[in-house]
Amino acid sequence: MALRLYNTLTRSKEDFQTLEPGVVKMYSCGPTVYNYAHIGNLRSYIFADVLRRALEYSGYEVKHVMNVTDVGHLTSDADIGEDKLDREARKEGKNPWEIARHYEEVFFNDLKALDIEQPTVKCRATEHIPDMIALVEKLLERGHAYETDQAVYYDVTTFPSYTALSRQSLEDKITAARQEVQEDPGKRNPADFALWFKAVGRFENHIMRWDSPWGVGFPGWHIECSAMSMKYLGETLDIHTGGEDHIWVHHPNETAQSEGATGKQFVRWWMHGAFLVVGDLSRGVEERRMGKSEGNFVRLQTLINREYDPLAYRYACLMAHYRTKLKFTWDSIDAAASGYNSLKDFVARAKQIGGEEMPWVGEYRERFKAALADDLNMPMAMAAVSELVREAEKRKEYGVLDALYDFDKVLGLQLRSAAERATNIDKEIESLIMEREEARATKDWARADAIRKQLGDQGILLEDTPAGTLWRRTT
RNA sequence: GGCGACGUAGCCAAGUGGUUAAGGCAGCGGUCUGCAAAAUCGCUAUCACCAGUUCGAUUCUGGUCGUCGCCUCCA
């Protein structure tokens, strides 16, 4: 199956092909582990996961690398500011490494709950400092970088295609827009960004620090992605994913660093996921990105506490295209939960009734694949799923599980295990159901209803259908 | 101030220069049903507004209004 994927670099959909036949080298910008990830962050990883699964579904082997930013980024612009990990560390009375490990663990647990495949390689920034230093040295050698008494900077004027991805002219940007921003007077251009910070001035007490050719300090906040992606995947990646906010700063910087060092194309497909937007959830939606200071911070755990299945959130994400912002409301997650539940109910029913796959199912297989191939149009793929289900019900031909389980390789909604869990009953319950069948045959409604009630109390719902009595666990 | 995106039914959300504008959720009415549950049928959108291009625009162009994002670490 040939995929067409939207490339931010060209702002168009292109026929996807790998550099090396059959193998996709894919890198995803991972989390900064100084706080919990919210569901907006997680949407990006669901997007990357669907992409990865679609590639695997298409027959590729995917080498997927994700970084863990445990160095901490600065809280404000440019060359000053408090390190986020340091700040959290002081607040919680732990050292930055402990903080980072905690949030990292929670993050990967969230991914697991969302049935997101683990990256082939997870790499921590703090464990790749020598790789970063080597890269900075190379950039210095090649004349892309310069040193001041505060830091080592990348000189963006040495990289002519710096704005190719962002398509924003540097002149138009406001620099030092915020009062607290203090620029290093040694910087040559406002857009120059740090490759290495020296532990001087405001950073004198920075907790995380390493030796380097430029003295004790810590790496800049873009260099890790260049160093680690090239270390594990080579100088040219097939796909690089991230949130759409990275189009203008982080990814151009990564490109400048990598291509500046190698002289080769860094990324062939840049792919960016759109934001989840949300407002004051107590009052309906005002479209606003989720943020810690916005009062709209929803974690996966928040959903779990409200008794939503994490996969209902995944389902909600699948109902919107990855390049379109998705409005999150309690109504929308309710809608997703209902839709997901009825899909699970259907597979449980189909599993019990069974049947051979009829030729008409082929049309839906084709529709699903076509939707997937068209830049991961999951809403359209999900529509094909819904219509497949409706068609099966209408025809009373339930041999559609092979197709649905096949689709689920990409959807990641755990349909097979949901069906198995829902229909798995022990001997005792089975014999009660049979007893009830006999009672119904003799119109002993009192006994039949008593058994229905008894099983209902155990979380087992019975459905009397022309095909016999079906059951499923509702808990 | 600069750049960009978006505005489709009660809610979420696809899509297209021209037969009936996907799908999900919610709602209403009917069928089926011992009960229950499910299923099924029907109903619910002049595609923000204005103008232009066109034989024809929701889809292209321009403008207006509104919303949002980026320009600063942030998915």
Side-chain angles (χ1 to χ4, degrees), chain A residues 153-172:
Chain A
Y153 294 102
Y154 192 101
D155 183 342
V156 296
T157 63
T158 67
F159 189 69
S161 57
Y162 183 69
T163 58
L165 181 64
S166 69
R167 300 194 177 185
Q168 279 190 344
S169 80
L170 295 176
E171 293 75 30
D172 293 337

Side-chain angles (χ1 to χ4, degrees), chain A residues 3-172:
Chain A
L3 292 171
R4 280 179 73 74
L5 298 176
Y6 185 88
N7 189 346
T8 308
L9 190 59
T10 58
R11 304 293 198 271
S12 61
K13 293 179 196 172
E14 299 169 355
D15 292 327
F16 179 71
Q17 44 196 315
T18 55
L19 205 54
E20 179 185 333
V23 180
V24 180
K25 294 168 183 169
M26 172 171 161
Y27 183 87
S28 296
C29 277
T32 302
V33 285
Y34 61 81
N35 202 335
Y36 295 110
H38 55 63
I39 58 174
N41 300 126
L42 293 172
R43 183 187 181 200
S44 286
Y45 300 105
I46 291 172
F47 147 61
D49 186 58
V50 170
L51 170 61
R52 173 178 168 177
R53 286 166 175 269
L55 291 164
E56 288 171 338
Y57 187 81
S58 303
Y60 290 106
E61 177 196 345
V62 180
K63 291 181 182 168
H64 184 203
V65 176
M66 184 185 289
N67 65 297
V68 173
T69 300
D70 54 352
V71 170
H73 283 183
L74 303 180
T75 52
S76 62
D77 180 34
D79 317 329
I80 65 147
E82 208 176 3
D83 185 282
K84 285 180 172 175
L85 273 174
D86 276 2
R87 187 186 60 194
E88 288 297 311
R90 280 196 294 277
K91 204 164 79 184
E92 302 187 21
K94 297 176 182 168
N95 73 46
W97 281 270
E98 290 172 321
I99 300 287
R101 292 296 175 272
H102 168 70
Y103 290 120
E104 179 185 322
E105 186 184 344
V106 173
F107 174 77
F108 284 108
N109 282 340
D110 283 354
L111 296 197
K112 198 173 173 189
L114 290 165
D115 200 18
I116 292 171
E117 293 181 4
Q118 297 286 307
T120 320
V121 175
K122 296 183 239 179
C123 42
R124 293 170 176 150
T126 53
E127 293 168 2
H128 295 78
I129 301 294
D131 300 293
M132 298 184 217
I133 288 172
L135 187 56
V136 175
E137 286 186 305
K138 198 162 186 181
L139 289 169
L140 279 163
E141 279 167 27
R142 296 182 62 128
H144 287 295
Y146 59 94
E147 184 179 357
T148 73
D149 46 10
Q150 295 185 23
V152 178
Y153 294 102
Y154 192 101
D155 183 342
V156 296
T157 63
T158 67
F159 189 69
S161 57
Y162 183 69
T163 58
L165 181 64
S166 69
R167 300 194 177 185
Q168 279 190 344
S169 80
L170 295 176
E171 293 75 30
D172 293 337

Side-chain angles (χ1 to χ4, degrees), chain A residues 97-343:
Chain A
W97 281 270
E98 290 172 321
I99 300 287
R101 292 296 175 272
H102 168 70
Y103 290 120
E104 179 185 322
E105 186 184 344
V106 173
F107 174 77
F108 284 108
N109 282 340
D110 283 354
L111 296 197
K112 198 173 173 189
L114 290 165
D115 200 18
I116 292 171
E117 293 181 4
Q118 297 286 307
T120 320
V121 175
K122 296 183 239 179
C123 42
R124 293 170 176 150
T126 53
E127 293 168 2
H128 295 78
I129 301 294
D131 300 293
M132 298 184 217
I133 288 172
L135 187 56
V136 175
E137 286 186 305
K138 198 162 186 181
L139 289 169
L140 279 163
E141 279 167 27
R142 296 182 62 128
H144 287 295
Y146 59 94
E147 184 179 357
T148 73
D149 46 10
Q150 295 185 23
V152 178
Y153 294 102
Y154 192 101
D155 183 342
V156 296
T157 63
T158 67
F159 189 69
S161 57
Y162 183 69
T163 58
L165 181 64
S166 69
R167 300 194 177 185
Q168 279 190 344
S169 80
L170 295 176
E171 293 75 30
D172 293 337
K173 297 187 180 188
I174 292 178
T175 54
R178 293 185 359 182
Q179 278 198 332
E180 66 268 30
V181 173
Q182 294 168 18
E183 293 256 293
D184 178 347
K187 258 173 86 168
R188 294 178 188 168
N189 314 289
D192 288 354
F193 55 93
L195 300 170
W196 185 267
F197 286 103
K198 301 180 181 181
V200 298
R202 288 286 294 268
F203 298 138
E204 205 175 332
N205 299 315
H206 203 270
I207 299 170
M208 285 187 166
R209 52 174 62 203
W210 294 267
D211 280 325
S212 83
W214 317 283
V216 173
F218 56 96
W221 48 80
H222 308 288
I223 196 72
E224 65 177 68
C225 286
S226 293
M228 296 194 289
S229 61
M230 292 197 292
K231 174 170 185 171
Y232 292 107
L233 294 172
E235 294 175 337
T236 299
L237 320 180
D238 291 303
I239 298 177
H240 192 310
T241 73
E244 60 182 348
D245 53 326
H246 287 326
I247 295 170
W248 297 279
V249 178
H250 182 53
H251 289 162
N253 290 353
E254 270 188 59
T255 305
Q257 290 167 341
S258 303
E259 298 190 359
T262 67
K264 294 180 186 160
Q265 181 177 22
F266 175 47
V267 170
R268 304 174 69 238
W269 261 264
W270 281 103
M271 297 185 68
H272 296 93
F275 280 135
L276 183 79
V277 295
V278 76
D280 180 345
L281 288 170
S282 63
R283 281 183 304 189
V285 192
E286 307 155 30
E287 295 171 21
R288 191 167 289 276
R289 69 178 288 184
M290 188 168 282
K292 290 161 198 77
S293 53
E294 305 289 347
N296 58 14
F297 193 87
V298 177
R299 289 210 282 138
L300 194 63
Q301 189 60 47
T302 314
L303 298 184
I304 294 168
N305 291 345
R306 290 183 178 232
E307 299 187 337
Y308 292 104
D309 185 333
L311 293 176
Y313 177 64
R314 184 176 174 110
Y315 185 99
C317 290
L318 291 171
M319 296 297 281
H321 188 90
Y322 77 89
R323 283 189 287 113
T324 304
K325 64 182 176 177
L326 170 61
K327 288 177 229 172
F328 180 85
T329 63
W330 294 117
D331 282 346
S332 68
I333 187 71
D334 280 342
S338 296
Y340 182 42
N341 279 333
S342 39
L343 181 58

